[in-house]
Amino acid sequence: MDLSLEHPEGYLFVRRVGERSITVMDRELAASFLLAPDRLVEGWAVDGVAALDESAGEAVRALGPEVVLLGTGNRQQFPPAAFMAGFLRKGIGIEVMDNAAAARTYDLLAGEGRRVVAAFILPRA
């Protein structure tokens, strides 16, 4: 049986997650970023969970998500309660997971046509 990997056209997808970088389509990113099915926002000024504040949340909400996947690096770390509450008050779901799980979940939801935003935290080298 022949198997082939096909990625549908029409949305940005995560191809690979490494310890210090994530590859979106064919572009390797080594700094924190936001990813929506139709947009990649580089230079998200967050280098760790402790840096998550209202400004960081506003940047994510500006992309108009129905659900947010917060990738917190190589392991799951929960952000401050005030950061989470900023999404819940607006009726936006938010899930916290490690970067690999966030990437898998993002690809699945984006492939279903959902308005998902993944916020990936990558440590500065």
Side-chain angles (χ1 to χ4, degrees):
M1 174 186 344
D2 289 330
L3 298 175
S4 63
L5 177 63
E6 291 184 31
H7 287 285
E9 299 289 328
Y11 70 91
L12 298 171
F13 61 90
V14 177
R15 182 180 301 276
R16 180 184 166 286
V17 176
E19 200 167 305
R20 297 198 155 272
S21 67
I22 296 174
T23 304
V24 176
M25 309 284 282
D26 292 324
R27 183 173 179 147
E28 186 174 4
L29 302 162
S32 298
F33 65 95
L34 305 175
L35 181 61
D38 60 347
R39 189 165 176 209
L40 170 65
V41 179
E42 296 182 63
W44 189 42
V46 174
D47 62 357
V49 173
L52 291 170
D53 59 13
E54 184 59 27
S55 171
E58 286 175 12
V60 176
R61 288 188 296 272
L63 296 174
E66 63 185 36
V67 66
V68 173
L69 306 172
L70 178 62
T72 59
N74 293 325
R75 62 185 176 85
Q76 181 184 38
Q77 302 174 59
F78 286 94
F83 179 79
M84 300 285 285
F87 292 92
L88 300 176
R89 278 193 300 272
K90 303 268 185 197
I92 300 169
I94 181 166
E95 296 291 333
V96 180
M97 52 194 77
D98 64 53
N99 282 346
R104 289 188 305 270
T105 305
Y106 166 84
D107 281 347
L108 178 71
L109 293 176
E112 292 176 348
R114 300 276 306 271
R115 186 65 193 160
V116 60
V117 170
F120 291 102
I121 298 174
L122 292 167
R124 293 198 174 126

